[in-house]
Amino acid sequence: MSSRPRPLNPSTESVSLLARWQRSLSARLARPQPLFLSAEGVQASGDKAQAQAQAFADWCRLHAGQAADITVSAKLLHELVCEPGLPLGDEAQLQAYARQLFGHYFGAPAKSWPLATWRVAAGEGSAEQCGAVALHGAAAAQLQELAASHQVHLTRVQPAWAPVLRRVAAEQPEWLRAPAAALAWVEGQVLTWLQLQNGQLQSLRQLRLAATTHAALGETLAELSAALSASTGTALPSTVLVCGYGLDADAPAPHWPGLRVLGRLGAKAPEAGCFEEGASAVKTSLPRPDFLGSRLPRSPLAWPLAGLGGLALLAGFWFASHSQQDLKQAQERQQALSAEAAQLRGAPAPKMAAPVARSSTKANDAEALRSAAEVQALLLQPWQAVLSNVEQAGASATSAAPGNAGVEGLSWLALDYNAGRQELRLEGLASDKLLALQMVDRLSAAPGWQGVMLSRFQTGEQGLQGQRFELNAKLRPAALQVDLPPKAASEAPKP
């Protein structure tokens, strides 16, 4: 006996999509939990530190709908500091150069490792410094994919030396301002040596100790400190700070002339709070590498406009549900009055009243389902990309009228979007017709915008300054991007 596959229930699919959307939203609003990623897995850092590490996939499964701030152990990193003067002004050039060198030293698989680049502006007597950090290891291969599959929001993925350097700089301002200073971050047998000059990072090296002992670390630090003193032309400086974990726990507290040890080097894991910058952190030019990429600042109007659109959709859904209830009540009253009138006349009530009522109820239910599906489709639209594109296109338009060059002359009156047909209508005021045409050209060249055209252009009504225009476009939500591509040379405004 063959069994037919059961059809999917649309209401069940809607509930599942709504639940995933709620978890994603709660993850972006949740406070990120600090995690430390090592070769053994991840473990909580800070006040909620745990003894044993666990696989990142297991952590995501247990913390679905939450956020995480990951700090990566130096044992999973390879460092690169570029020579000053190389033509690496563009981010793409820096990443291509780093992948080429990592592939040369570690083989072809290294070219696909995740990269976190950093750049320090030139200071007094020092050139611009830039570099890259490569993340390797099976535990870190698919961090973003695992997080996305469980609706876990990653706020930051950074190498361990970066937050340690910023925290030490905030707690030791005199050390940061020294003409020559250094920070040694040790993780067992791996030592990260950072050399600074007047608060600017000048050198970053990764070395391997002969053993995980205080004696082996002391010998390596003595060589590095002597080289630092020789390069600065002074005696052994007292501005070398040492911190970390993973050395022999039974050894007595070391006494190294000219060096200061922060915390316990014999701990099994990073001490609580060593990766937190704290409220006293100051804004410095220290590197901030992030494997998630550099973050562009959001438009200040993006979230307010998105919230306003969400409130409008919720209000429309609320009015639609109340209208449906009023309609049902009116139909019930009509049937009751019809039955009462039939009894007064002595005639039987109409037999077709019940079927008509059932047919009307089915039609109302179908209309309610269509309304709910349309509201859900509107909520799933990438409003951040749509509103950001419109704002950027309007801001880049400049007037060619005499005396209006460089003046923004666009004002928006209305926005209407049909999720079923994926059609967008914008209505606004322009001080010059060229502004509206420039915006049409700008949006036509943007990914995900099709059929952008002016459907109306007329003089504004009484009380409105400028010329009223209406713009229609068809969107492809999957292809939309938050930032518009740069304007071509032919699109630049003529003086």
Side-chain angles (χ1 to χ4, degrees):
M1 181 178 179
S2 61
S3 60
R4 296 182 180 180
R6 299 174 60 184
L8 295 177
N9 190 348
S11 61
T12 304
E13 291 184 349
S14 301
V15 172
S16 177
L17 289 175
L18 183 59
R20 291 178 61 87
W21 181 79
Q22 289 178 345
R23 284 198 299 267
S24 299
L25 181 60
S26 63
R28 290 189 172 274
L29 298 178
R31 183 178 181 180
Q33 300 186 28
L35 298 178
F36 182 68
L37 175 65
S38 61
E40 292 77 17
V42 295
Q43 61 184 107
S45 61
D47 298 336
K48 299 180 180 180
Q50 58 187 15
Q52 295 182 351
Q54 60 181 149
F56 184 64
D58 297 336
W59 188 93
C60 291
R61 185 166 52 255
L62 296 175
H63 299 80
Q66 299 186 20
D69 187 343
I70 300 180
T71 302
V72 185
S73 169
K75 299 178 182 179
L76 297 177
L77 303 176
H78 288 299
E79 307 290 345
L80 170 66
V81 179
C82 303
E83 292 291 336
L86 292 177
L88 302 175
D90 184 53
E91 187 69 17
Q93 295 175 347
L94 177 56
Q95 288 203 8
Y97 177 74
R99 294 190 185 280
Q100 181 181 4
L101 287 186
F102 284 130
H104 175 73
Y105 286 104
F106 302 103
K111 294 183 178 181
S112 60
W113 286 345
L115 292 181
T117 59
W118 56 269
R119 193 181 301 270
V120 177
E124 296 182 2
S126 61
E128 182 188 52
Q129 291 286 345
C130 61
V133 188
L135 177 59
H136 66 88
Q142 298 177 344
L143 288 179
Q144 298 188 56
E145 291 79 359
L146 290 173
S149 63
H150 295 85
Q151 288 82 50
V152 173
H153 177 55
L154 296 181
T155 59
R156 186 171 50 182
V157 181
Q158 58 181 341
W161 59 263
V164 171
L165 177 59
R166 294 194 298 269
R167 181 177 182 84
V168 172
E171 296 178 350
Q172 308 285 339
E174 297 181 357
W175 169 85
L176 181 65
R177 292 191 297 266
L183 174 65
W185 168 254
V186 60
E187 296 185 33
Q189 206 170 354
V190 179
L191 172 65
T192 304
W193 175 261
L194 301 101
Q195 185 173 330
L196 295 90
Q197 179 181 356
N198 296 322
Q200 298 283 340
L201 181 63
Q202 297 296 320
S203 175
L204 191 154
R205 297 176 58 188
Q206 193 178 74
L207 304 95
R208 183 168 293 274
L209 303 178
T212 58
T213 61
H214 288 75
L217 176 62
E219 294 176 0
T220 304
L221 291 178
E223 298 177 0
L224 294 173
S225 300
L228 177 61
S229 300
S231 63
T232 57
T234 60
L236 186 64
S238 60
T239 53
V240 177
L241 304 181
V242 185
C243 57
Y245 70 97
L247 298 184
D248 47 343
D250 300 332
H255 176 68
W256 296 321
L259 307 180
R260 279 192 295 162
V261 179
L262 306 177
R264 294 176 54 249
L265 301 180
K268 295 183 179 180
E271 293 185 352
C274 67
F275 302 128
E276 298 179 4
E277 299 182 35
S280 61
V282 295
K283 292 185 178 180
T284 63
S285 58
L286 298 176
R288 293 180 176 269
D290 191 347
F291 289 99
L292 301 180
S294 58
R295 311 295 178 85
L296 295 176
R298 288 194 180 99
S299 170
L301 297 178
W303 282 113
L305 290 176
L308 184 61
L311 290 177
L313 291 175
L314 292 177
F317 182 74
W318 184 80
F319 282 117
S321 62
H322 276 265
S323 299
Q324 182 181 1
Q325 294 178 1
D326 294 340
L327 179 60
K328 289 182 177 179
Q329 293 176 359
Q331 291 175 348
E332 292 175 357
R333 287 196 300 269
Q334 181 183 6
Q335 294 176 7
L337 291 175
S338 299
E340 184 178 356
Q343 290 178 359
L344 292 176
R345 293 194 302 267
K351 295 182 180 181
M352 296 301 295
V356 171
R358 288 196 297 269
S359 177
S360 177
T361 302
K362 293 181 180 179
N364 293 334
D365 292 342
E367 182 65 25
L369 289 176
R370 284 195 296 269
S371 300
E374 185 174 357
V375 171
Q376 181 180 357
L378 288 173
L379 290 175
L380 295 178
Q381 296 302 316
W383 289 111
Q384 180 183 0
V386 174
L387 299 176
S388 179
N389 288 174
V390 173
E391 181 182 0
Q392 293 176 25
S396 63
T398 57
S399 176
N404 291 339
V407 178
E408 297 184 1
L410 285 177
S411 300
W412 298 110
L413 299 177
L415 181 149
D416 185 22
Y417 182 69
N418 189 307
R421 297 192 297 269
Q422 296 182 349
E423 293 179 353
L424 178 70
R425 182 181 68 86
L426 295 172
E427 190 173 345
L429 292 173
S431 60
D432 186 2
K433 185 176 183 180
L434 179 60
L435 294 176
L437 294 176
Q438 287 179 353
M439 181 157 185
V440 170
D441 296 338
R442 192 83 167 94
L443 292 178
S444 298
W449 291 77
Q450 295 179 342
V452 185
M453 62 172 53
L454 283 176
S455 60
R456 187 179 64 176
F457 197 88
Q458 65 183 24
T459 303
E461 294 84 354
Q462 184 176 2
L464 298 179
Q465 297 181 357
Q467 296 178 335
R468 189 164 185 168
F469 69 92
E470 183 177 313
L471 185 148
N472 293 329
K474 193 171 183 65
L475 301 182
R476 290 188 297 121
L480 290 175
Q481 299 179 3
V482 176
D483 295 327
L484 292 177
K487 297 174 66 175
S490 59
E491 299 178 6
K494 298 181 180 180

